[in-house]
């Protein structure tokens, strides 16, 4: 009863690429004022490449936007600006620090992570520009609460994600409609895994911020995680001072994900090029978030909670 | 996970089973035995298992749902999981099997090329087995794998397996699965012990067929093995308007995805609904120039002639044009808590095209358990019915049984913008 394959089909990377291009073009076709969230990180760099394949020789039908916590690695910020300039596309930067000045973000303490406060700044920017869709690089394999995320995810006027009020998504007939004030989050690489991302970076020869590759760094061990210390920002300020009694170790590390400095941990690695990273990813025993996120481990449901509050 | 090979294919499949048939355990074991579960996830599962007083790691924890579901003790939605064997990447659509969630099964089935239907070996073919098979059939999944699970609880008895297999095949005959050309395989297994899932084990030497993983590895990746006609719904038109660049000055690229069939440079094409004809001048993917494009590839087509074309149009090969119709008849699954109101106008989205639509007639609704056709006035969530729609704009359609991409549509309620129905054209 087995039928044999007599048709040519796409390889898995080609298929994922084709799907993502299709999603980006649906956003462009259905939404009137979309924006692409671009952090300079590996997932969003893949999406930029996909956008090139989707829209060149035309310009992108959306600007790029970064919500900057002010606590990003300067290597990443520099790379972000360089990439946007090379592409000749418009980059909007909105910063959590501005929300703090406006009083819409209030930190509980000086050293509280600003990561979760990005939601506020994002919503303010959405309102400022009237965006009806934000394209992001989230993947379903990242975390449990993402496994059920739609490719076109609906957010209400408060930016909230209600898991029970999502549109069924059938075939590749995406519904990105929204009323004024509401918002769609579109995830073109939903079906990609961390491995797919690295394979795509390798195949497309994409450049990355240097901190993705093995480098020497001062760190301390804190509650079982590697925490980078004395990190200089683009502004010249130095953050993440070691706490009293902590011993500074100089280690060879790389980042698997580059977010806010205060909540992204590196892993020990000597992978100094993409091929080595692909190999390391194939044999790693720890999930991307498990290894590198200092903020998701509090509870099983912490990501779900943050998404309900409007987090990306 | 264990291999970084590039030139491999991708298979999307779904799992269907009633509560406690072992769906979560099966998925958990597939991921575990293919080494797709990483250590920190395992540690967390181990911790939770111990907290619940279990001795071994409960693999079903891996597919445990969202907090909202845990509180209500139900799974409310389709979850997607990923694993890779080195030769193939898999996307699993995991849909809960409750009666009230026909809509989730239909949603999961819409993108699947293979369905695993779980049967508890102690119970045999049940009403829900019939329902799952009917839905998989309705949504046109070409490959059905019937997994007779919990064989360990019937002493790995061959006669039990053969009887359930015979029962299933005769039921499949009744609903026309074989007639429709579906590929059906039946495999005995124990998701708990892993026998016949990834490893054969040694408890069922009487079974000579392939293991579950072998079936997954060899199932064709293409949705259809037939040669389908070329269908290219236009998603977006690229006009760079670069007046200073002579190469781009007249550039007009039609961007979209090849939904079915193939196209080559030089082919004669027709643009619908207007019916203009031209030839393919170039096929582009990013900066690459292609000679041909195949099914599911996203490309940009350039035509020899300047033709006014926009999103919602469809490019087809001139000798294989579909019908443009202003009335469609289809099987519709209602997805919304708000029942269908025959008096209202809805929007139908078909490929990249939309049209206002009015309900003409609801011919009958199907009882998904008995497969009986019943008369009905309305349609509530999870109902499946045969409906006719009158359309304001023509749609270029094929029947769903011939072409999944151009035979499918969704129904949108404009007041909420929700997707309220899923339809398959007859
Ligand atoms: N003995 C035995 N138990 C199984 C098997 N598969 C699943 N189970 C058990 O059946 C129960 C329900 O399984 P689960 O995977 O949660 O079912 P689901 O509701 O379909 O996801 C659990 O206690 C499993 O350990 C099997 O092959 N043999």
């Amino acid at each position: 009863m087995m039928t044999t394959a007599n048709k040519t089909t796409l390889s898995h990377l080609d298929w994922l690429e084709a799907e993502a291009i299709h999603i980006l073009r649906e956003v462009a076709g259905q939404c009137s004022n979309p924006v692409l969230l671009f952090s300079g990180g590996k997932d969003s760099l893949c999406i930029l490449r996909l956008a090139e394949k989707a829209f060149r020789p035309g310009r992108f039908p959306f600007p790029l936007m970064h919500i900057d916590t002010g606590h990003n690695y300067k290597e990443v910020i520099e790379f972000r600006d360089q990439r946007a300039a090379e592409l000749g596309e418009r980059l909007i930067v909105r910063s959590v620090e501005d929300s703090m000045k406006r009083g819409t973000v209030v930190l509980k303490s000086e050293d509280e992570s600003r990561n979760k406060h990005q939601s506020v700044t994002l919503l303010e920017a959405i309102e400022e520009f009237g965006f009806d869709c934000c394209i992001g690089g989230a993947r379903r394999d990242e975390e449990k609460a993402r496994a059920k995320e739609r490719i076109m995810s609906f957010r209400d006027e408060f930016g909230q994600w209600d898991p029970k009020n999502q549109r069924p998504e059938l075939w590749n007939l995406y519904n990105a409609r929204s009323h004024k004030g509401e918002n769609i989050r579109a995830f073109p690489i939903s079906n990609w895994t961390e491995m797919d991302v690295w394979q795509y970076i390798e195949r497309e020869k994409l450049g990355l911020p240097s901190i993705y590759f093995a480098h020497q760094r001062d760190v301390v061990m804190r509650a079982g995680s590697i925490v980078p210390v004395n990190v200089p920002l683009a502004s010249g300020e130095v953050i993440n001072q070691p706490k009293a009694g902590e011993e500074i170790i100089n280690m060879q590390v790389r980042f698997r994900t580059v977010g806010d400095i205060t909540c992204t941990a590196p892993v020990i690695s000597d992978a100094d090029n993409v091929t080595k990273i692909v190999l390391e990813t194939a044999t790693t025993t720890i999930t991307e978030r498990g290894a590198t996120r200092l903020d998701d481990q509090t509870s099983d449901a912490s990501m779900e909670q943050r998404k309900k509050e409007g987090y990306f | 996970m264990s291999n970084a090979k590039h030139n491999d294919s991708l298979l999307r499949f779904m799992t269907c089973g009633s509560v406690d048939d072992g769906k979560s355990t099966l998925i958990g074991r597939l991921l575990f035995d293919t080494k797709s579960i990483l250590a920190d996830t395992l540690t967390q599962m181990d911790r939770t298992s111990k907290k619940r007083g279990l001795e071994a790691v409960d693999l079903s924890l891996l597919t445990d749902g969202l907090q909202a579901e845990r509180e209500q003790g139900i799974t409310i939605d389709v979850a997607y999981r990923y694993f890779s064997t080195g030769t193939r990447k898999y996307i699993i659509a995991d849909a809960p099997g409750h009666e009230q969630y026909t809509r989730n099964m239909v949603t999961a089935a819409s993108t699947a090329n293979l369905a695993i239907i779980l049967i508890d070996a102690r119970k045999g073919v049940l009403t829900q087995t019939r329902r799952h098979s009917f839905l998989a059939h309705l949504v046109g999944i070409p490959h059905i794998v019937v997994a007779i699970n919990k064989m360990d609880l019937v002493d790995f008895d061959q006669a039990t397996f053969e009887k359930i297999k015979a029962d299933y095949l005769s039921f499949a005959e009744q609903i026309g699965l074989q007639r429709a050309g579906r590929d059906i395989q039946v495999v005995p297994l124990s998701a708990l012990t892993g026998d016949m899932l990834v490893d054969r084990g040694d408890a069922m030497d009487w079974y000579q067929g392939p293991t579950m993983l072998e079936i997954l590895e060899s199932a064709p990746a293409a949705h259809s093995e037939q040669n389908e006609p070329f269908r290219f719904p236009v998603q977006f038109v690229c006009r760079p308007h670069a007046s200073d660049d002579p190469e781009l000055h007249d550039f007009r690229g039609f961007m979209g995805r090849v939904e079915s069939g193939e196209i080559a440079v030089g082919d004669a094409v027709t643009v619908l609904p207007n019916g203009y004809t031209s030839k393919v001048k170039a096929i582009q993917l990013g900066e690459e120039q292609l000679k041909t494009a195949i099914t599911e590839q996203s490309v940009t087509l350039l035509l020899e002639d300047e033709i006014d074309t926009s999103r919602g149009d469809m490019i087809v090969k001139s000798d294989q044009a579909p019908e443009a119709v202003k009335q469609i008849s289809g099987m519709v699954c209602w997805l919304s808590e708000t029942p269908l109101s025959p008096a209202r106008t809805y929007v139908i989205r078909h490929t990249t095209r939309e049209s206002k639509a009015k309900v003409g007639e609801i011919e009958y609704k199907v009882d998904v358990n008995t497969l009986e056709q019943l008369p009905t006035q309305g349609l509530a969530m999870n109902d499946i019915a045969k409906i006719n729609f009158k359309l304001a704009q023509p749609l270029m359609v094929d029947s769903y049984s011939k072409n999944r991409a151009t035979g499918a549509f969704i129904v949108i309620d404009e007041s909420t913008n929700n997707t309220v129905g899923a339809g398959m054209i007859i």
Side-chain angles (χ1 to χ4, degrees):
Chain A
M1 262 176 284
M2 272 306 300
T3 36
T4 49
N6 57 23
K7 258 189 160 174
T8 325
T9 48
L10 297 175
S11 77
H12 96 266
L13 272 189
D14 284 335
W15 188 91
L16 290 171
E17 177 186 86
E19 180 189 53
I21 293 172
H22 176 256
I23 294 163
L24 287 169
R25 288 171 174 170
E26 278 307 288
V27 169
Q30 292 187 39
C31 302
S32 54
N33 189 17
V35 64
L36 193 159
L37 298 182
F38 172 55
S39 63
K42 67 179 191 309
D43 299 311
S44 59
L45 284 162
C46 282
I47 295 186
L48 280 192
R49 177 69 183 132
L50 292 161
E52 284 187 275
K53 295 207 184 195
F55 301 111
R56 291 291 187 243
R59 292 180 57 102
F60 294 175
F62 35 67
L64 318 178
M65 180 163 80
H66 184 218
I67 303 299
D68 189 349
T69 61
H71 282 173
N72 286 295
Y73 286 96
K74 73 175 195 291
E75 294 88 341
V76 179
I77 296 299
E78 282 162 15
F79 196 85
R80 174 199 77 187
D81 294 343
Q82 179 199 328
R83 196 70 198 103
E86 282 164 5
L87 286 167
E89 301 289 344
R90 175 174 167 224
L91 173 69
I92 299 166
V93 177
R94 285 294 174 269
S95 99
V96 175
E97 284 170 349
D98 287 335
S99 302
M100 287 159 60
K101 278 182 210 140
R102 273 192 293 274
T104 48
V105 164
V106 182
L107 298 184
K108 285 198 211 85
S109 67
E110 180 79 17
D111 55 1
E112 187 196 1
S113 167
R114 299 169 176 182
N115 199 46
K116 68 174 202 183
H117 296 291
Q118 283 178 81
S119 323
V120 175
T121 312
L122 174 63
L123 291 180
E124 287 170 350
I126 288 172
E127 199 174 324
E128 177 187 350
F129 294 95
F131 293 129
D132 59 352
C133 177
C134 303
I135 302 164
R139 309 189 318 262
R140 285 173 177 153
D141 83 321
E142 279 178 273
E143 214 270 347
K144 256 187 200 172
R146 296 243 190 242
K148 302 190 173 189
E149 180 62 282
R150 299 299 192 277
I151 285 175
M152 302 284 179
S153 175
F154 176 76
R155 305 298 163 102
D156 67 13
E157 281 170 278
F158 303 98
Q160 296 179 103
W161 176 73
D162 175 359
K164 277 186 282 186
N165 188 22
Q166 291 297 320
R167 298 168 183 170
E169 221 159 50
L170 295 104
W171 297 288
N172 58 4
L173 298 174
Y174 303 110
N175 175 357
R177 286 168 170 251
S178 61
H179 290 297
K180 206 171 159 45
E182 299 166 347
N183 196 259
I184 298 289
R185 306 283 164 89
F187 302 115
I189 60 168
S190 284
N191 284 325
W192 298 41
T193 59
E194 185 187 13
M195 185 59 155
D196 298 326
V197 167
W198 282 112
Q199 288 183 349
Y200 194 69
I201 288 168
E202 187 184 33
R203 187 183 88 173
E204 299 292 316
K205 304 186 172 59
L206 303 185
L208 291 176
S210 58
I211 62 171
Y212 275 113
F213 303 104
H215 58 280
Q216 293 297 133
R217 178 175 291 278
D218 282 349
V219 301
V220 299
M221 298 304 296
R222 194 178 290 163
S225 292
I226 303 172
V227 179
V229 290
N230 298 332
V231 184
L233 301 177
S235 62
E237 192 191 341
V238 174
I239 65 163
N240 272 21
Q241 318 288 348
K243 292 182 182 162
E246 281 179 336
E247 182 199 351
I248 297 181
I249 316 164
N250 191 266
M251 256 190 211
Q252 183 163 270
V253 296
R254 71 176 169 92
F255 287 90
R256 281 170 76 180
T257 159
V258 296
D260 189 87
I261 293 171
T262 60
C263 63
T264 332
V267 293
I268 299 173
S269 168
D270 53 15
D272 54 7
N273 63 41
V274 175
T275 307
K276 287 184 191 167
I277 294 175
V278 170
L279 272 175
E280 226 176 65
T281 308
T283 51
T284 185
T285 55
I286 304 198
T287 61
E288 182 173 328
R289 264 181 198 274
T292 59
R293 297 301 291 247
L294 300 170
D295 54 344
D296 276 339
Q297 290 163 10
T298 29
S299 94
D300 239 12
S302 57
M303 170 65 106
E304 184 183 350
Q305 196 53 43
R306 280 191 303 162
K307 279 181 66 181
K308 283 183 184 157
E309 288 161 4
Y311 185 76
F312 202 75
Chain B
M1 266 288 138
S2 53
N3 197 325
K5 199 165 152 240
H6 279 214
N7 198 11
D8 50 359
S9 59
L10 181 140
L11 184 77
R12 299 191 74 161
F13 71 92
M14 74 175 299
T15 49
C16 347
S18 304
V19 186
D20 287 345
D21 281 351
K23 207 158 50 70
S24 317
T25 310
L26 178 127
I27 295 174
R29 184 154 283 283
L30 268 179
L31 269 59
F32 183 76
D33 286 356
T34 55
K35 306 196 170 42
S36 310
I37 311 178
L38 298 182
D40 56 331
T41 309
L42 265 181
T43 313
Q44 204 171 12
M45 285 163 62
D46 188 36
R47 227 181 289 139
T48 311
S49 300
K50 291 224 172 80
K51 233 192 288 176
R52 295 188 189 172
L54 303 171
E55 277 165 31
V57 177
D58 182 355
L59 288 173
S60 71
L61 285 174
L62 194 73
T63 57
D64 226 16
L66 303 178
Q67 189 178 27
E69 295 175 303
R70 284 201 291 275
E71 280 159 9
Q72 294 166 24
I74 49 155
T75 15
I76 48 173
D77 222 332
V78 183
Y80 296 89
R81 327 261 163 208
Y82 306 85
F83 73 98
S84 166
T85 53
T87 46
R88 207 165 227 196
K89 170 177 166 119
Y90 294 92
I91 304 181
I92 314 175
D94 177 17
H98 309 261
E99 182 136 23
Q100 57 273 44
Y101 292 111
T102 294
R103 67 170 205 156
N104 291 337
M105 241 212 80
V106 170
T107 303
S110 72
T111 53
N113 275 343
L114 180 148
I116 297 177
I117 297 179
L118 275 145
I119 295 180
D120 185 329
R122 297 169 304 172
K123 298 182 185 158
V125 177
L126 299 177
T127 305
Q128 41 278 33
T129 318
R130 299 201 170 89
R131 180 170 74 236
H132 296 147
S133 304
F134 167 69
L135 292 174
H137 181 35
L138 178 80
V139 189
I141 297 182
H143 306 283
I144 308 277
V145 185
V146 182
I148 302 182
N149 188 34
K150 307 200 184 182
M151 286 301 293
D152 56 310
L153 295 182
V154 296
D155 296 325
F156 298 104
D157 177 41
Q158 180 177 9
T160 308
F161 168 75
E162 296 296 348
K163 171 157 191 327
I164 298 172
K165 177 175 171 178
D167 282 355
Y168 186 86
L169 290 177
S170 92
F171 158 73
E173 187 75 54
Q174 262 175 45
I175 65 167
L177 276 176
Q178 287 96 330
R179 234 175 309 131
R182 303 282 191 261
D183 155 42
I184 307 171
Q185 306 204 49
V186 189
V187 53
L189 55 88
S190 167
L192 192 71
T193 61
D195 289 81
M196 289 303 161
L197 205 55
V198 174
D199 302 317
R200 296 193 76 84
D202 46 21
M204 290 184 281
D205 288 340
W206 47 264
Y207 172 76
Q208 295 336 205
T211 61
M212 179 60 83
L213 188 67
E214 283 164 356
I215 294 172
L216 294 175
E217 291 276 278
S218 59
H223 175 66
S224 166
E225 289 292 284
Q226 312 302 318
N227 284 324
E228 295 176 309
F230 173 69
R231 302 285 184 256
F232 189 83
V234 175
Q235 289 186 277
F236 196 75
V237 179
C238 175
R239 304 220 52 192
H241 296 293
S243 45
D244 49 342
D245 182 341
E247 257 181 42
L248 290 184
H249 189 74
D250 294 320
F251 187 94
R252 201 189 278 249
F254 304 116
M255 301 178 147
R257 190 172 190 187
V258 180
E259 291 290 357
S260 65
E262 294 181 9
I263 192 78
V265 172
D267 283 347
V269 292
T270 300
V271 183
L272 296 173
N274 290 331
Y276 300 126
T277 56
S278 185
K279 277 193 168 146
V280 176
K281 184 164 82 179
I283 305 172
Q284 301 180 342
L285 168 56
E287 52 284 340
E288 249 179 290
Q289 300 287 336
L290 309 178
K291 289 203 174 67
T292 59
I294 62 172
T295 307
E296 299 199 299
Q297 212 164 10
S298 287
V299 293
T300 301
L301 295 185
L302 279 71
L303 303 184
E304 295 280 0
D305 306 277
E306 231 175 77
I307 292 179
D308 195 21
T309 299
S310 53
R311 176 177 166 86
D313 290 353
M314 191 187 286
I315 302 178
V316 301
K317 280 188 188 165
S318 297
D319 56 355
Q320 320 174 316
E323 265 186 289
V325 296
K326 289 191 78 171
Q327 187 155 356
I328 53 173
S329 172
M331 298 302 291
V332 173
C333 175
W334 200 251
L335 307 168
S336 164
E337 278 168 26
T338 314
L340 171 131
S341 154
R344 282 191 50 195
T345 300
Y346 290 95
V347 169
I348 281 185
R349 170 168 298 136
H350 170 264
T351 64
T352 57
R353 197 170 171 82
E354 288 187 353
S355 168
K356 299 232 189 236
K358 269 185 137 6
V359 179
E361 188 196 353
I362 309 179
E363 286 186 37
Y364 57 82
K365 109 178 172 185
V366 182
D367 181 322
V368 290
N369 293 326
T370 62
L371 310 187
E372 253 181 299
Q373 298 180 358
L374 310 167
T376 184
Q377 298 304 314
L379 213 53
M381 183 154 88
N382 295 310
D383 280 350
I384 291 177
K386 186 172 175 204
I387 305 185
N388 302 315
F389 287 100
K390 292 190 206 112
L391 308 170
Q393 300 292 325
L395 298 179
M396 286 71 78
V397 305
D398 296 292
S399 75
Y400 188 81
S401 61
K402 289 224 176 75
N403 197 318
R404 205 186 204 179
T406 47
F409 62 89
I410 55 172
V411 183
I412 296 170
D413 178 340
E414 267 190 305
S415 64
T416 58
N417 282 328
N418 273 335
T419 303
V420 293
M424 289 144 279
I425 294 166
I426 294 174

